[in-house]
């Protein structure tokens, strides 16, 4: 009887130890590393970047929204992860997030004195953040394009997407940027997206360039571009981006476009460029100039043989 009791006790103890080891390993692989760095902007200003890095979380966007109190007073909180189990795209879509790509969310408290009111000027944030990815691709010698308002394309396929959210006075910018995703993973995403006319087939740097890239180096370049761009934007300098963004749009000034409204209504007109607030200006026959400022609209190029999105 005593022997039996001792065996049971030993088994229970052994199971407890095994369980503890399992929990420790499990938690370690999910644990974030945190570091705080000073970063000098091009204008000489020093800001703080508090970075939390993960191996796996559900979504850097969700995690950031649950930890807004960690945002440094004078700077950004940045959350990155190798993989996401529940990545979020625009319009409630899923952002497929296998290992090898950039998944980052940048959060910042917007001071009441900032020239930018994120509530009304989200459109500008989306374009300026997308421009940070465009600059990164151009730094590699590539020729990306912006599908207005926040889809970054390379060789007419989507390589990166930007998700901008607001939580009271906090701006939250999520960037997904496909770096080392292989064709098999891209095919999986394209298969899931088949049938949604608003979705473009996806690609990665690996697929387009035929070799792997350093995710960390590219993340650092995106971060540098984003922090500098956002600093200009928060100083009310969106107009300095307008011409640069226009040059990289998938639709060129004067081209015929179809605008799809969220109400499923659509209309055609000539694209006239962006106004100083970042809205798209369309000259609609019989109606005149229309300004589109809802980021959820898709600007579609219609001409034969041209990009059809
Ligand atoms: C889009 O649909 O084009 C925007 C996609 C944004 C995806 C990024 S990945 C990092 C951050 N975390 C998320 O869950 N979503 C954004």
């Amino acid at each position: 009887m005593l022997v039996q009791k001792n065996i049971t006790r030993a088994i229970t103890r052994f199971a407890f130890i095994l369980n503890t080891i399992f929990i420790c390993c499990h938690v370690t692989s999910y644990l974030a590393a945190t570091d705080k760095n000073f970063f000098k902007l091009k204008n000489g200003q020093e800001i703080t970047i508090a970075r939390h890095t993960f191996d796996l979380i559900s979504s850097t966007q969700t995690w950031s929204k649950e930890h807004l109190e960690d945002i440094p007073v004078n700077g950004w909180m940045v959350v990155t992860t190798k993989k996401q189990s529940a990545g979020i795209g625009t319009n409630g879509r899923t952002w497929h997030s296998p290992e090898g790509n950039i998944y980052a969310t940048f959060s910042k408290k917007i001071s009441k004195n900032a020239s930018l009111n994120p509530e009304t000027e989200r459109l500008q944030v989306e374009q300026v953040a997308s421009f940070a990815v465009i600059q990164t691709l151009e730094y590699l010698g590539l020729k990306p394009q912006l599908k207005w308002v926040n889809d970054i394309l390379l060789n007419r396929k989507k390589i990166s997407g930007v998700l901008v959210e607001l939580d009271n006075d906090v701006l939250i910018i999520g960037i997904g940027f496909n770096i080392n995703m292989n064709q098999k993973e891209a095919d999986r995403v394209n298969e899931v997206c088949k049938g949604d006319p608003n979705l473009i087939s996806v690609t990665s740097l690996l697929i387009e360039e035929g070799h792997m890239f350093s995710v960390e180096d590219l993340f650092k370049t995106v971060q540098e571009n984003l922090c500098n761009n956002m600093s200009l934007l928060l100083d009310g300098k969106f107009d300095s981006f307008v011409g640069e963004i226009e040059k990289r749009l998938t639709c060129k000034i004067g081209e015929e476009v179809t605008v799809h409204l969220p109400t499923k209504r659509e209309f055609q007109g000539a694209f006239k460029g962006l106004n100083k607030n970042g809205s798209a200006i369309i000259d609609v026959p019989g109606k005149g100039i229309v300004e589109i400022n809802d980021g959820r609209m898709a600007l579609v190029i219609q001409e034969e043989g041209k990009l059809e999105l």
Side-chain angles (χ1 to χ4, degrees):
M1 194 67 178
L2 190 69
V3 173
Q4 206 173 15
K5 227 178 193 174
N6 280 343
I7 291 174
T8 314
R9 205 174 285 158
I11 291 173
T12 314
R13 206 166 282 168
F14 184 61
F16 175 78
I17 291 167
L18 268 187
N19 199 25
T20 310
I21 292 171
F22 173 75
I23 289 170
C24 285
C25 295
H26 196 66
V27 171
T28 309
S29 68
Y30 288 75
L31 252 187
T34 302
D35 64 56
K36 215 172 216 184
N37 285 312
F38 294 106
F39 178 76
K40 204 167 188 158
L41 296 174
K42 280 184 188 151
N43 66 9
Q45 192 195 338
E46 260 202 6
I47 59 166
T48 310
I49 295 187
R51 180 169 173 198
H52 303 274
T53 47
F54 291 85
D55 285 344
L56 169 71
I57 46 173
S58 61
S59 154
T60 54
Q61 209 76 0
T62 311
W63 194 94
S64 299
K65 285 192 258 175
E66 287 163 359
H67 296 82
L68 295 180
E69 70 286 355
D70 291 357
I71 300 176
V73 178
N74 170 33
W76 291 86
M77 176 177 78
V78 185
V79 183
T80 58
T81 185
K82 287 184 182 159
K83 293 196 267 184
Q84 297 184 122
S85 55
I88 304 162
T90 46
N91 297 331
R93 293 192 183 98
T94 299
W95 186 259
H96 183 58
S97 311
E99 193 163 345
N101 301 324
I102 293 176
Y103 308 108
T105 297
F106 299 81
S107 311
K108 182 174 178 54
K109 282 207 169 76
I110 304 299
S111 101
K112 300 269 177 283
N113 319 323
S115 305
L116 178 94
N117 174 355
E119 199 70 61
T120 54
E121 284 145 22
R122 175 200 298 253
L123 200 61
Q124 298 180 9
V125 179
E126 289 174 321
Q127 291 175 74
V128 166
S130 301
F131 192 59
V133 179
I134 295 230
Q135 289 169 304
T136 305
L137 287 162
E138 288 182 350
Y139 164 79
L140 296 175
L142 302 170
K143 285 205 177 322
Q145 286 185 302
L146 178 68
K147 178 180 167 279
W148 195 81
V149 60
N150 54 356
D151 288 332
I152 298 99
L153 311 190
L154 187 63
N155 302 330
R156 302 182 168 192
K157 285 167 267 167
K158 180 158 169 170
I159 193 156
S160 171
V162 170
L163 178 63
V164 174
E165 295 182 272
L166 292 161
D167 191 311
N168 296 311
D169 61 340
V170 179
L171 187 57
I172 304 156
I173 304 173
I175 298 184
F177 183 1
N178 298 335
I179 311 290
N180 296 319
M181 180 159 81
N182 61 31
Q183 188 63 59
K184 206 168 143 204
E185 291 283 4
D187 288 345
R188 278 185 54 199
V189 181
N190 292 331
E191 188 56 36
V192 174
C193 300
K194 225 160 65 185
D196 185 339
N198 290 319
L199 294 182
I200 313 152
S201 53
V202 303
T203 194
S204 70
L205 276 174
L206 170 66
I207 295 169
E208 298 305 317
E209 290 300 292
H211 63 91
M212 308 266 274
F213 287 78
S214 158
V215 175
E216 183 59 20
D217 288 355
L218 290 173
F219 162 74
K220 288 269 167 61
T221 312
V222 170
Q223 174 175 270
E224 191 178 327
N225 292 332
L226 185 84
C227 293
N228 278 302
N229 290 357
M230 284 307 301
S231 155
L232 280 171
L233 183 64
L234 293 170
D235 282 346
K237 301 207 174 101
F238 179 72
D239 50 352
S240 64
F241 291 97
V242 173
E244 294 305 311
I245 291 172
E246 276 177 349
K247 277 189 234 161
R248 282 131 176 126
L249 288 174
T250 48
C251 51
K252 299 291 164 233
I253 294 176
E255 256 171 355
E256 274 300 304
V257 295
T258 298
V259 177
H260 291 279
L261 299 175
T263 54
K264 302 264 187 300
R265 208 166 60 80
E266 58 176 53
F267 61 85
Q268 274 89 30
F271 177 62
K272 292 282 174 192
L274 302 174
N275 71 10
K276 64 175 180 19
N277 299 318
S279 307
I281 309 162
I282 315 288
D283 190 354
V284 183
K287 253 196 165 161
I289 299 292
V290 175
E291 285 182 0
I292 315 289
N293 53 21
D294 185 330
R296 263 114 284 281
M297 292 174 194
L299 215 46
V300 182
I301 298 179
Q302 276 257 298
E303 277 175 69
E304 260 300 292
K306 289 240 170 118
L307 177 63
E308 196 161 306
L309 302 176

